[in-house]
Amino acid sequence: MKIRNILFFFVFISTLFSSCKEQEKKQKETAEETKQPNIVLLFVDDYGWSDVGFRNDTFSTPNIDQLKKEGLNFNRAYIPTPTCSPSRLSLLTGKEAIRLGMPRHIALDPNKPDAEYNLWPTDPVQMPSRNYLPLEEVTYAEKLKEEGYYNYFVGKWHLGHKGRYPTDQGFDEEFGTTDHGHPKSYYFPFFKDGDPNGFMKNYKEGDYLTDVLTDGAVDFIKTYDKADPFMLSFWYYSVHGPSVGRKDLLKKYQEAGLEGKYAHHAAMVEAMDESIGRVRNALKEKGIEENTVIIVLSDQGGAYTNAPLSGGKKGGNTLGEGGARVPFIIKYPGVTKANTESNTPVQSIDLYPTLIEIASGKKYNDNQIQGVSLLPILNGSDIEQRELYFFRSYEDQYAAVISGDWKLVKYHSGKFQLFNVSEDISEQNDLIGKGLDIEKKLIADIAAWEKEAVPTY
């Protein structure tokens, strides 16, 4: 009898222990499912929609190509004001940059370093453009901080001088931030003058800027030891000019037959792609890859050919597809399906509410922003169709609107253009004046939007 009781006791204890272990396993799995993901945003400068290996074999981008295979590719992603500073303002705030009075990049007058606005010599309407992001604007870093995130910033800021840096707008730390919109060279000493953070003192001749910044991003990931989730915002100076390819990669493209600036540009693109691979490897080695959202986005179209798209950063057609349409890929482990694509037109302003919803796990509503959350698309559904608006102030071409397949472009001189960009990706068949109903609608819509959105001075 005693032996039977002892056996029963051991069976009971064993069963209880197994039950506890199973419950602990389930609790751990539930915790993993509900754990806030880390977020890594890789924001590339002047990186054209066509300058990626999976669209153009001139370029070697194995890491971006792999990210596309693993994530969701937005085939029709746009920047509301495709140029350096306004693109950053929109990304940070979820707002169309023109509403905050920034239709151009920051261009400080050295004789007036604290000037609130600048003018552009060739702008036909001489519209003022703001020289900094107002500190009262709420950034995604500030919103994510409310959700417990630690925000680390790497690279190009171009939204204001010292006192208006990332750490003044919600970021906990910054690395590689300067007052410059671009370097003098991608080789040390990098910048022509001005180094308020003492960034350059740590480097030497032969150091390449993209690699230096990547070292900072990788070191942050490797040494991060807080319990809080993090968001790493890595904003590249590359592939903005001057086109200075890393010497080993430059040699490779020259031997392949590319010449001059084109060889340099291709080398810069590969160095940037290599950087993305290093960041992803750091996440993997840290064991956090499967709980990290990866986002790759460009701030505007490329400075060289963007074929088959028309237009680009330069040449008076920046609101053409080649100037305003950019690479945009998101991998959200457990949410996005591998190797999927969306043809829904979206804008960079949409990342702001998307990031907040990812961080909070809740629906985000804010009538002060123009962006909408992309989570429905990430989840395999879609968002309601809407019109996307564009505005910049450098030349005759200044505004545009996209509605589904249709795009209307507006000029100060009174000219309009109308394209079906789904059927005519190169914008060669101007349908203005053909009697289409969509023409009248979009002309009226863009006029109403301008009246609402464009400040008067």
Side-chain angles (χ1 to χ4, degrees):
M1 189 69 180
K2 287 182 180 179
I3 294 174
R4 289 177 66 185
N5 287 342
I6 292 170
L7 287 172
F8 177 79
F9 174 76
F10 277 112
V11 169
F12 173 76
I13 292 297
S14 176
T15 304
L16 183 63
F17 178 76
S18 297
S19 177
C20 288
K21 292 293 287 182
E22 185 65 28
Q23 188 174 358
E24 183 181 326
K25 181 183 176 184
K26 286 181 179 179
Q27 287 174 342
K28 185 177 180 182
E29 288 173 351
T30 302
E32 286 295 319
E33 289 173 5
T34 58
K35 186 179 180 183
Q36 290 171 294
N38 303 302
I39 304 169
V40 174
L41 170 59
L42 303 161
F43 190 44
V44 188
D45 200 322
D46 292 357
Y47 184 43
W49 183 86
S50 301
D51 292 357
V52 61
F54 63 80
R55 291 192 178 111
N56 184 348
D57 61 11
T58 299
F59 298 96
S60 177
T61 58
N63 294 294
I64 294 176
D65 296 353
Q66 183 61 33
L67 185 65
K68 177 185 177 290
K69 290 177 184 176
E70 297 174 14
L72 172 64
N73 177 45
F74 289 86
N75 195 40
R76 293 187 64 195
Y78 297 91
I79 305 296
T81 297
T83 191
C84 289
S85 306
S87 68
R88 285 155 176 73
L89 182 154
S90 289
L91 181 61
L92 273 177
T93 66
K95 297 179 180 180
E96 295 161 339
I98 185 57
R99 292 176 185 264
L100 296 181
M102 192 184 283
R104 289 189 303 278
H105 71 286
I106 291 170
L108 287 176
D109 182 344
N111 299 315
K112 301 176 182 177
D114 295 316
E116 186 175 0
Y117 293 95
N118 71 74
L119 296 174
W120 194 250
T122 59
D123 177 11
V125 297
Q126 288 296 287
M127 176 177 284
S129 185
R130 192 179 291 278
N131 276 326
Y132 49 80
L133 172 66
L135 292 176
E136 61 267 23
E137 289 298 320
V138 179
T139 68
Y140 68 64
E142 290 168 313
K143 295 300 290 185
L144 265 62
K145 187 184 286 287
E146 293 174 7
E147 301 300 331
Y149 277 71
Y150 188 87
N151 290 281
Y152 193 77
F153 184 90
V154 174
K156 174 176 173 174
W157 179 241
H158 209 191
L159 281 172
H161 47 290
K162 198 168 178 67
R164 300 179 181 278
Y165 270 9
T167 50
D168 302 301
Q169 289 282 17
F171 292 91
D172 295 286
E173 287 185 78
E174 60 199 23
F175 173 75
T177 305
T178 70
D179 290 350
H180 301 277
H182 61 82
K184 179 184 178 183
S185 172
Y186 280 85
Y187 276 102
F188 182 85
F190 311 133
F191 302 101
K192 182 179 179 181
D193 51 41
D195 184 23
N197 288 352
F199 169 60
M200 291 186 288
K201 69 182 180 183
N202 300 311
Y203 302 101
K204 63 186 185 306
E205 186 175 349
D207 288 340
Y208 192 72
L209 183 57
T210 302
D211 295 340
V212 162
L213 296 176
T214 307
D215 290 343
V218 167
D219 184 64
F220 167 74
I221 293 168
K222 286 183 174 180
T223 60
Y224 188 74
D225 59 0
K226 296 176 173 51
D228 299 328
F230 67 78
M231 178 166 180
L232 167 62
S233 296
F234 187 168
W235 293 12
Y236 292 80
Y237 287 91
S238 190
V239 294
H240 191 295
S243 293
V244 180
R246 206 176 69 205
K247 291 175 183 177
D248 59 322
L249 296 175
L250 176 61
K251 185 171 185 285
K252 165 186 169 181
Y253 286 99
Q254 288 172 332
E255 290 175 349
L258 289 181
E259 297 179 353
K261 62 186 181 182
Y262 301 105
H264 278 279
H265 178 62
M268 289 179 74
V269 167
E270 184 167 352
M272 174 273 298
D273 180 81
E274 185 181 284
S275 165
I276 290 174
R278 288 184 58 200
V279 170
R280 294 201 66 192
N281 284 338
L283 295 170
K284 188 173 184 178
E285 290 171 5
K286 186 84 169 180
I288 57 175
E289 183 182 32
E290 290 308 308
N291 192 44
T292 302
V293 179
I294 303 282
I295 304 166
V296 172
L297 176 68
S298 172
D299 77 330
Q300 70 178 108
Y304 303 123
T305 176
N306 292 288
L309 306 184
S310 68
K313 175 181 178 178
K314 302 174 182 177
N317 185 23
T318 301
L319 297 181
E321 294 289 284
R325 187 167 171 172
V326 294
F328 183 27
I329 303 170
I330 298 180
K331 180 188 176 185
Y332 187 171
V335 176
T336 52
K337 291 184 179 178
N339 205 25
T340 52
E341 187 168 273
S342 170
N343 286 306
T344 299
V346 300
Q347 282 184 324
S348 54
I349 51 176
D350 299 330
L351 261 179
Y352 180 90
T354 305
L355 292 172
I356 296 170
E357 290 192 1
I358 289 172
S360 68
K362 302 172 192 172
K363 180 74 176 171
Y364 179 72
N365 294 302
D366 184 349
N367 59 13
Q368 298 299 308
I369 68 171
Q370 289 75 57
V372 302
S373 173
L374 299 177
L375 268 186
I377 299 178
L378 300 186
N379 280 304
S381 185
D382 213 338
I383 56 176
E384 291 184 15
Q385 184 170 318
R386 62 194 159 136
E387 292 182 344
L388 303 179
Y389 292 95
F390 304 79
F391 193 101
R392 65 200 303 272
S393 195
Y394 288 90
E395 56 249 330
D396 190 21
Q397 184 195 76
Y398 79 96
V401 55
I402 284 177
S403 180
D405 296 339
W406 295 96
K407 179 177 177 183
L408 181 85
V409 184
K410 188 174 182 180
Y411 294 74
H412 287 300
S413 58
K415 174 183 172 182
F416 287 95
Q417 294 174 304
L418 179 67
F419 302 102
N420 183 318
V421 291
S422 290
E423 296 179 359
D424 178 22
I425 194 172
S426 301
E427 297 172 297
Q428 297 300 301
N429 185 22
D430 186 359
L431 298 171
I432 206 75
K434 302 294 185 183
L436 299 174
D437 290 340
I438 192 69
E439 176 185 318
K440 293 179 182 178
K441 180 182 186 308
L442 293 184
I443 288 175
D445 289 350
I446 201 168
W449 174 81
E450 283 185 74
K451 189 175 181 180
E452 176 208 345
V454 180
T456 55
Y457 298 91

